[in-house]
Amino acid sequence: MHKYFNTQKSNKIKTMNNHIAIFAFPFGSHGTPLLNTTRQLASLAPQNKVHFSFISTPNTITSLFPSGSKTDADYPNIKAYEIWDGKPEGYVFSGNHLDEIDLFLKHAARPGALTKVLEEAEDNIGVKVSCVMGDAFLWFLCDLAKEVGVPWVSCWVSGEHSLSVHVYTDVLRERFGIQGVEAREDETLDFIPGLSKIRVKDIPDGIATGNLDSTFAQMLHKMSQALPNASAVCISSCEELDPVVTNDLKSKFSKTFSIGPLNLVIAPQKIADNYNCLGWLDKQKPNSVVYVSFGSAATPTPNELFALAQALQASGVKFLWSIKDHLKVHFPNDFLEKSRENGMVVSWVPQIEVLAHDAIGVFITHFGYNSVTESIAAEVPMIGRPFFGDHKLNGRLVEAVWEVGLQVEGETFTKEGILKSLDRILSSDEGKKMRANIKSLKHLVGKAVAPDGSSNKNFRLLLEHITKT
């Protein structure tokens, strides 16, 4: 019995059904994959037997449930609940999102801070919470699950390689030391199974490099220490992509479910092609168009945007660039006017459909995990400029492990560097080899995300795991 229930409430709560409480990390793009995971589980579960309470901050819930209803339109057994974001009354955004993360974590990680929302969900549904599930960043869900006496399932919304380096945080810090690690940045992680081509400088900041005292670094370290206590860990990748890394992670956790890549396993919601990008692509030759996009959170510097525009103009290649309107001021003065014949510059595109179009020959990206896996699924080689998080690690995988793309020289866009990379991919035998390699990768991933593939089988096993209590 939950220790915060009184006898009267306990008598009202049913125990024959399952009630899964799912907590989303309310920053960046973390909420969407977790909601998609919830929807996939809901699609496999009997609606009248398994209930899902999706919990996050008001802004996240509003963005993910835009209709204003806190019940999912397609899955009535999913209901949304809000928790406080930690911002005091009168809070003014400082311009640094890490400050908001700090406020949220200081509130949410406090003992007892999240029990009220569980009580609200249980009273609303009439079924006790039987499992706590959530984003791996929320390490304190381990304590919450213990408090209410239910299993904890942790969800890593990126790939197995980035999870692996986090799991080995203490080993990496001990091996390389915190001071002077930059002098050893070219050393490889050959002591970690499957990471022999990954270098110290490819590791995300907060593990062995960067400010290890920051709130974000401390969060990641606590996560790495807590994960072995989870009853299961889900990964947004497939077992076939790197069995060595996956099997090593399996040895670290009680259970491991590779259920991704989530953006490929779960059919995406249809996005309107408001600018007729696909119609424009229909008029272009196969493998001739450069697609440029850096996702919703990464932004090159003004100088880099200027250099990238110059390179596209000088190359003469056709291009489709998705960029926010307010950033266009950093283009050369005549760029938009002179590019009308060769290019389209728009504020939003249906990325999956664009990448899948035969006209796309290369993708200039930030190496975000979703973009990388979507590019693999579409057989499009990449040119990437990493920004933060797992971008550098993903870029190293793309260039040196899978050999399906290139990282920009010096991790900064220059006109000469972009022109050189475009030539290597679009006009050389090296580019042909990349396309052959990415075709093989697509076959591996495609097999896993097929209806009878390993990722979908693992989704069914995950549902079995979270409903067995």
Side-chain angles (χ1 to χ4, degrees), residues 12-278:
K12 293 180 181 179
I13 300 294
K14 299 176 185 176
T15 57
M16 72 283 278
N17 292 355
N18 290 100
H19 181 181
I20 318 302
I22 299 180
F23 289 82
F25 183 71
F27 300 96
S29 57
H30 279 243
T32 299
L34 202 58
L35 180 57
N36 286 340
T37 300
T38 307
R39 285 171 170 159
Q40 183 74 351
L41 291 168
S43 73
L44 298 171
Q47 285 188 5
N48 61 340
K49 294 291 184 183
V50 185
H51 308 270
F52 298 90
S53 292
F54 190 87
I55 300 164
S56 196
T57 57
N59 282 347
T60 299
I61 296 302
T62 300
S63 67
L64 295 175
F65 296 80
S67 66
S69 170
K70 291 184 181 178
T71 299
D72 193 290
D74 296 318
Y75 303 102
N77 53 339
I78 299 176
K79 291 180 184 281
Y81 297 88
E82 295 179 353
I83 53 175
W84 186 38
D85 57 16
K87 298 174 187 173
E89 189 175 346
Y91 171 78
V92 178
F93 179 48
S94 67
N96 185 353
H97 288 289
L98 291 177
D99 292 341
E100 295 190 332
I101 293 174
D102 187 36
L103 288 171
F104 169 74
L105 292 176
K106 281 180 178 176
H107 161 65
R110 287 189 301 106
L114 301 179
T115 52
K116 184 178 179 181
V117 73
L118 292 188
E119 189 173 13
E120 178 189 352
E122 290 175 327
D123 282 349
N124 185 275
I125 296 171
V127 179
K128 281 175 59 177
V129 166
S130 54
C131 178
V132 168
M133 188 170 172
D135 195 297
F137 281 4
L138 307 178
W139 82 90
F140 45 84
L141 295 180
C142 176
D143 297 326
L144 177 65
K146 284 180 184 176
E147 182 182 346
V148 298
V150 300
W152 167 48
V153 175
S154 188
C155 302
W156 182 250
V157 298
S158 190
E160 65 272 41
H161 301 86
S162 56
L163 178 57
S164 179
V165 293
H166 284 293
V167 168
Y168 281 91
T169 293
D170 288 326
V171 175
L172 289 164
R173 289 184 180 184
E174 182 179 350
R175 188 178 184 100
F176 295 107
I178 298 173
Q179 301 298 326
V181 68
E182 288 79 9
R184 305 176 66 182
E185 64 178 11
D186 288 318
E187 291 188 32
T188 61
L189 310 187
D190 53 6
F191 53 93
I192 299 178
L195 301 187
S196 61
K197 291 188 178 181
I198 304 302
R199 305 159 301 186
V200 172
K201 63 184 176 184
D202 302 318
I203 301 172
D205 285 342
I207 296 178
T209 59
N211 179 11
L212 304 189
D213 294 323
S214 70
T215 298
F216 202 77
Q218 291 180 29
M219 175 192 75
L220 296 173
H221 190 207
K222 289 174 182 176
M223 174 195 75
S224 72
Q225 295 173 320
L227 281 174
N229 297 316
S231 70
V233 175
C234 311
I235 306 171
S236 179
S237 186
C238 56
E239 296 175 351
E240 291 84 350
L241 199 54
D242 197 322
V244 174
V245 176
T246 300
N247 287 334
D248 183 55
L249 290 173
K250 285 182 177 180
S251 74
K252 301 287 190 291
F253 307 137
S254 298
K255 284 186 181 294
T256 304
F257 298 107
S258 297
I259 56 171
L262 289 169
N263 53 325
L264 304 181
V265 172
I266 301 162
Q269 292 183 316
K270 192 71 175 176
I271 297 174
D273 183 16
N274 293 329
Y275 299 97
N276 194 29
C277 301
L278 299 175

Side-chain angles (χ1 to χ4, degrees), residues 279-336:
W280 182 79
L281 289 172
D282 286 340
K283 301 172 185 176
Q284 314 307 323
K285 296 177 182 177
N287 296 321
S288 66
V289 176
V290 179
Y291 170 52
V292 185
S293 176
F294 303 106
S296 57
T299 306
T301 64
N303 287 343
E304 290 179 274
L305 290 171
F306 188 90
L308 179 51
Q310 281 187 316
L312 291 172
Q313 198 168 50
S315 70
V317 298
K318 298 293 180 75
F319 66 88
L320 171 60
W321 193 340
S322 175
I323 185 171
K324 295 167 186 169
D325 287 334
H326 72 277
L327 295 173
K328 295 175 185 176
V329 297
H330 303 305
F331 292 160
N333 290 334
D334 58 354
F335 174 70
L336 291 173

